[in-house]
Every structure is written in structure tokens, then in C-alpha cells.
Amino acid sequence: MKKWILQHPIRVNIIYWLIYIISFFAVERIVTVPRYVIHSPLDDMIPFTKYAIVFYVLWFPYIAFSLIYFVLKSEKVDFWKLSVSLMISMMPTLLFYLLMPNGIHLRPETVEGNDIFAWAVRMIWKSDNTCNVCPSLHVIVTVLIDMAWSTAAITKDKPVWRWTSHVVDVLICASTVLLKQHSIIDVFCGIAVAVIVRAGIECIFDKNTENSTLNV
């Protein structure tokens, strides 16, 4: 099984993401009323900005491009560090939502305008309820991917990749609060989860640097 997994990284990721997407929507249906409301005084100081939807949806191509680029171009160990860090953070976060149902009451009642930005925000809000916000999966995934770009061997001679990822990371995380999708608390908790998971992954993989199976 281990050999098959290492030899089929694309299949493994496709299977995982299918399971995750199904699980995510299942949790969205189960948790519809938050037991804990997340709020910070800082949230009231952050203005709602519908144009931030551009950076919020950038999350999806950012994930896809990063995984595809890493599996095709990076060293196998860098790809697996990224994949495993995502896997061991995202599913447990969904479980946390079930055990600690939380949500926000930050969204404005209406989104003014009939432009594409307002339309996109209304579509996102229609499909994504205000529960299951802390820690922010948007932030966890974004920060983990950014850290992967920061440490990958393929970026040592290409700093533009690292700096581009840093900019995308900041814009996506900022969009979560500008759209009132998350509290600033969700963002900080998401960053904390990502840093802890990545540190754990580095320790685990560093102990197995001589294990050639990662380069199968």
C-alpha cells in the first residue's frame, strides 16, 4: 500500500480531495446553528469590501496550480510535505467543527450592486453558510501552501515564485475578513494551525531524509 501511494501521488490526491469535498458539504449540512459565535472588536473595524471576492476565489486556482506544479516539477519530498500537511490539517478541522460548532454574525444584510463582484459574493454566501469558520480552512490551506513554496528546493534559484506566493497568501487571507467570511480570530487560529502542522511535518520528514522511498 505504501509503495502504491508513493508511486501514484496524483491518484492519492484526487481520492483525498474527493473525500474532503464530500465531507465538507456533509458538515455544512449537519452544522447549521453555531454553538459558539466568533467575534473580535477588530472585526467591527474592518470594512466589508465586495471586490475582495477576486482574491477569495483565487484560493481555488492557487491550490490546483501549486499541487500540479509540485507533483510535476518539485522534488518528491517537497510534494509529499505539502500533500501530507494538507491532509492532516483539513480533515481534523472538519471534525473540530462537528465537536465545537462555531460561526459568525458579521455579514451585512445585503450586498449592493448588480455587478459581477456583488453577484459573486451573493453566490458564495448562498452556498456557504456562516458556520464552521474557526479555524479558517481558507487560511490554513493558503499558509501551508505558501510555506511549501518558501522551503521547496525548486524555489531556491527562483525567488520570484516565493514572493509571488507570499503576495497571494496575504491577499487571500485578507479577503476572508474583508468579505466577512471570517473573523480575524479565525485567521489567527488558521495561521497557528498551519504553522504547527508544518513544523510537525518538517520534524517527521527530517528524521526520514535518508529514506529513499520518498523519491520513488
Side-chain angles (χ1 to χ4, degrees):
M1 177 62 73
K2 180 179 179 180
K3 184 177 181 180
W4 183 89
I5 290 174
L6 292 172
Q7 290 180 334
H8 300 87
I10 296 177
R11 294 182 185 179
V12 170
N13 272 268
I14 290 175
I15 292 172
Y16 168 77
W17 280 94
L18 286 174
I19 294 174
Y20 167 75
I21 291 172
I22 293 172
S23 301
F24 174 82
F25 284 107
V27 172
E28 286 280 285
R29 286 183 173 274
I30 294 172
V31 181
T32 57
V33 179
R35 185 184 306 167
Y36 307 99
V37 176
I38 311 299
H39 181 265
S40 165
L42 287 176
D43 297 325
D44 301 326
M45 301 171 63
I46 300 173
F48 167 73
T49 308
K50 63 183 178 182
Y51 303 107
I53 191 67
V54 175
F55 306 117
Y56 188 81
V57 299
L58 182 61
W59 188 67
F60 301 99
Y62 182 54
I63 295 172
F65 175 80
S66 298
L67 286 172
I68 292 172
Y69 191 89
F70 269 65
V71 75
L72 296 178
K73 299 291 185 179
S74 74
E75 294 183 3
K76 291 293 188 295
V77 65
D78 290 327
F79 169 77
W80 283 112
K81 282 182 179 180
L82 173 57
S83 292
V84 174
S85 66
L86 293 175
M87 292 177 185
I88 66 174
S89 60
M90 295 171 72
M91 293 300 287
T93 298
L94 293 182
L95 178 59
F96 179 81
Y97 293 159
L98 289 173
L99 298 176
M100 303 286 289
N102 59 73
I104 54 170
H105 293 155
L106 299 173
R107 294 178 181 177
E109 293 184 4
T110 59
V111 181
E112 296 182 0
N114 294 315
D115 53 88
I116 190 172
F117 304 104
W119 175 83
V121 172
R122 286 192 286 265
M123 289 296 294
I124 290 291
W125 286 0
K126 184 177 180 180
S127 61
D128 187 12
N129 62 38
T130 57
C131 295
N132 310 320
V133 295
C134 187
S136 168
L137 277 166
H138 233 73
V139 172
I140 292 173
V141 172
T142 302
V143 174
L144 283 173
I145 292 176
D146 186 41
M147 287 192 288
W149 280 105
S150 298
T151 59
I154 56 173
T155 64
K156 289 183 178 179
D157 299 324
K158 300 176 181 179
V160 66
W161 287 107
R162 295 198 303 272
W163 285 106
T164 299
S165 180
H166 293 337
V167 172
V168 172
D169 180 10
V170 171
L171 291 174
I172 292 176
C173 291
S175 73
T176 64
V177 292
L178 291 172
L179 286 177
K180 302 302 180 180
Q181 283 287 93
H182 288 280
S183 163
I184 193 70
I185 295 174
D186 307 336
V187 174
F188 288 143
C189 289
I191 293 173
V193 170
V195 171
I196 292 171
V197 168
R198 182 68 191 195
I201 289 295
E202 291 290 349
C203 291
I204 293 172
F205 276 78
D206 285 347
K207 292 180 180 179
N208 294 279
T209 52
E210 296 181 359
N211 188 344
S212 60
T213 57
L214 286 175
N215 292 312
V216 172

